[in-house]
DNA sequence: TATTCCGATAGTGAC
DNA sequence: GTCACTATCGGAATGAG
């Protein structure tokens, strides 16, 4: 499976079965291999792991259960198949969310002692913040690429690009036509009050199409100020997002992310509506 | 089936299967036959049925659906089997509640034009009130008798009486021993805000054991001032029970009718507790 | 508070 | 706001030619 095969469980969806999608190269063992080194990974200079003592008593290994489940990925990224761990390096592990709330939903997990802090505190460190921001951008581009791979064939804006890709149109330049700005369709951020104890940056498509999208709070956690962009850190002293409960972000009326229609608390009707918006969105 | 077989659907409960219960005489066709005549039924002198004309325009028979469902019983009591209509006369129909909230749960339905009024207004007529009170007492005694029939064999207070009944003890008097005061175990009243439009007096055992007892409001409607005894009518001008919603009777914490334990809103736990209380109650 | 169906809401427990 | 399970709470329909 290729590095961009972010959600292989979707590999046999209708689109891919139809054969019009470019088949991802079978890249065996990518889950256990080191990621390619590039300008981005080079930025993050590897540091000695032992230099950072775990806050926890090392005689009692962490349990990685329930709210600590994400710790297992940063502790042992090679334990996971490539459809779970997208890539990892000394400082980060990128995974596909086990309970995706959109068709593409990844998490960036910093491998840092600061990951056990609340995100607001963790990202007060300028150097750490910069590294997280940079790696997040990298993952964001990867997710955008995956969106193009999955949905480009439906996209009006990608029409010319797709035609060139499929050898159905002439194109003189060595670069493909730019096509749709898929990065604009990617949400990036950290939950104002995470339920999982290890720092994780959500990087996901904005469609909100998933069987795991089940409650109002799921939806509002990605479609309200509850999702704090990494670019917004460090958070100002009196930023209201420091008190997400007080602000009631998660209990707000359900508003379609695309057309703004208000569904009140009728989650199921929102879901039905999102299915329709999804089809239109792909065709943009 | 006998006249006191108020709930034949219970005919094959554990107790009766065990054979310790006096088997009700197999009275074929009782559903369409008149009940046995006894001192009680004799009290209610039969009057010409035509004397009680249906209030409604007979050209448009009313729906008898939903909130008007009880009207069918007073309009045509003979249309029902004897396990539904317990007895009827010109002025009243007594039925087994279709959705009993206790092991014995009957309704007294006055066959009067006033039955379409709100109970508070309907029972402002002294003569009508007196007749309802008298007939209610009659039904209450019938229900008490049924309780004795069903549960006397478990009752400590009924022990001597049961022994005589079963020929297991000597008893010189022609009258049986009095035994337990089963009338004290019977609730009688009218809901402060009925959902069914036809006047109906609830006459039921206090056990609250029934699969139809399904939520807090069911329970509180029989275990709070929401149940207004017919003896309390006519209601004083400022009686708080004229405004049951304002008083919040139905939304109160769940309190066991027998021991007073507070179950808050935990209805299921109350139900489990009531099962235990039921066993102890029978043995009193 | 008639029932019934569906769905939204709330608390818990997770080793 | 992790999930999954259970239970509680809440609104709307309820028929028929």
């Amino acid at each position: 499976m290729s590095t961009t095969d972010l959600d292989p469980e979707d590999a046999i969806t209708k689109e891919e079965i139809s054969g019009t999608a470019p088949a991802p190269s079978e890249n065996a063992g990518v889950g256990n291999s080191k990621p390619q080194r590039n300008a981005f990974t080079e930025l993050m200079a590897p540091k000695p792991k032992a230099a950072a003592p775990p806050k926890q008593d090392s005689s009692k290994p962490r349990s990685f259960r329930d709210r600590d489940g994400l710790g297992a990925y940063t502790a042992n990224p090679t334990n996971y198949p490539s459809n779970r761990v997208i890539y990892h390096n000394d400082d980060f592990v990128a995974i596909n969310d086990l309970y995706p709330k959109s068709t593409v939903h990844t998490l960036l997990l910093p491998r840092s002692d600061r990951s056990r802090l609340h995100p607001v505190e963790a990202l007060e460190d300028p150097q750490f913040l910069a590294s997280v921001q940079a790696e997040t951008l990298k993952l964001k581009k990867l997710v955008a690429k995956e969106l193009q791979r999955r949905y480009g064939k439906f996209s009006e804006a990608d029409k010319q690009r797709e035609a060139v890709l499929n050898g159905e149109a002439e194109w003189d330049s060595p670069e493909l036509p730019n096509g749709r700005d898929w990065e604009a369709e990617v949400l990036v951020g950290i939950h104002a009050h995470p339920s999982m104890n290890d720092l994780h940056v959500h990087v996901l498509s904005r469609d909100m199409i998933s069987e795991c999208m089940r409650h109002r709070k799921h939806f509002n956690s990605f479609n309200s100020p509850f999702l704090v962009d990494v670019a917004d850190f460090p958070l100002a002293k009196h930023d209201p997002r420091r008190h997400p409960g007080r602000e009631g972000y998660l209990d707000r009326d359900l508003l379609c992310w695309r057309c703004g229609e208000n569904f009140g608390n009728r989650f199921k009707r929102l879901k039905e509506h999102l299915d329709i918006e999804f089809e239109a969105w792909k065709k943009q």
Side-chain angles (χ1 to χ4, degrees), chain A:
Chain A
M1 295 176 183
S2 79
T3 306
T4 55
D5 188 9
L6 304 183
D7 193 353
E9 295 176 12
D10 265 2
I12 51 168
T13 57
K14 184 171 35 139
E15 305 92 65
E16 309 225 1
I17 286 175
S18 75
T20 56
S25 61
E26 279 302 272
N27 201 346
V30 71
N32 292 326
S33 67
K34 294 284 183 183
Q36 299 176 304
R37 299 188 78 80
N38 57 26
F40 182 83
T41 55
E42 296 299 346
L43 257 175
M44 307 281 93
K47 299 156 199 163
K49 276 183 188 172
K55 269 199 148 164
Q56 224 168 262
D57 179 3
S58 55
S59 68
K60 282 191 174 182
R62 286 176 54 196
S63 72
F64 300 141
R65 280 196 213 100
D66 303 333
R67 293 182 152 80
D68 291 323
L70 295 178
Y73 296 107
T74 48
N76 299 106
T78 58
N79 283 0
Y80 297 88
S82 59
N83 63 353
R84 178 69 43 221
V85 171
I86 301 163
Y87 71 81
H88 63 95
N89 54 45
D90 284 349
D91 298 311
F92 296 96
V93 178
I95 67 170
N96 285 306
D97 196 304
L98 190 54
Y99 301 95
K101 305 304 189 296
S102 276
T103 61
V104 181
H105 186 173
T106 71
L107 298 179
L108 181 68
L109 311 174
R111 305 177 81 177
S112 162
D113 294 341
R114 301 194 74 81
S115 283
R116 296 292 292 171
L117 301 175
H118 187 284
V120 170
E121 187 184 352
L123 299 177
E124 281 172 351
D125 179 300
Q127 189 179 350
F128 181 64
L129 173 59
S131 77
V132 169
Q133 288 172 331
E135 192 79 12
T136 297
L137 180 59
K138 186 179 152 189
L139 183 55
K140 182 180 185 180
K141 289 179 186 299
L142 210 53
V143 167
K145 198 173 170 186
E146 172 68 5
L147 293 179
Q148 187 172 56
R149 186 187 73 79
R150 289 195 193 191
Y151 307 129
K153 57 183 162 298
F154 306 113
S155 168
E156 183 64 28
D158 268 1
K159 212 171 197 175
Q160 192 176 29
R161 187 179 187 282
E162 289 289 317
V164 174
L165 264 178
N166 298 333
E168 299 160 6
E170 297 278 331
W171 191 253
D172 291 336
S173 164
E175 297 283 321
L176 285 170
N178 277 339
R180 184 168 174 180
D181 177 13
W182 288 103
E183 279 190 51
E185 311 297 347
V186 179
L187 300 181
V188 162
I190 294 171
H191 280 159
H193 180 74
S195 283
M196 298 298 271
N197 291 329
D198 293 279
L199 184 62
H200 52 290
V201 184
H202 293 273
V203 181
L204 67 161
S205 57
R206 64 195 306 194
D207 51 81
M208 303 297 133
I209 298 296
S210 168
E211 293 189 358
C212 297
M213 171 64 73
R214 288 205 244 241
H215 318 297
R216 183 207 298 241
K217 291 183 182 190
H218 284 155
F219 183 83
N220 281 343
S221 74
F222 295 108
N223 295 275
S224 79
F226 193 88
L227 186 71
V228 185
D229 195 302
V230 289
D232 295 354
F233 288 91
L235 238 46
K237 191 97 179 174
H238 296 295
D239 192 300
R241 294 171 291 184
R242 285 175 181 264
H243 306 285
R246 174 199 300 169
E247 297 297 323
Y249 299 130
L250 299 178
D251 299 322
R252 288 181 174 179
D253 282 1
L254 295 161
L255 304 179
C256 172
W257 63 268
R258 194 161 181 268
C259 74
E261 184 173 344
N262 187 327
F263 289 83
N265 64 351
R266 291 164 316 217
F267 184 82
K268 190 171 186 178
R269 291 196 196 177
L270 169 68
K271 289 272 287 181
E272 292 160 1
H273 175 81
L274 290 177
D275 286 338
I276 295 168
E277 292 287 24
F278 182 48
E279 295 306 313
W281 173 74
K282 287 188 291 187
K283 292 174 183 159
Q284 273 181 207

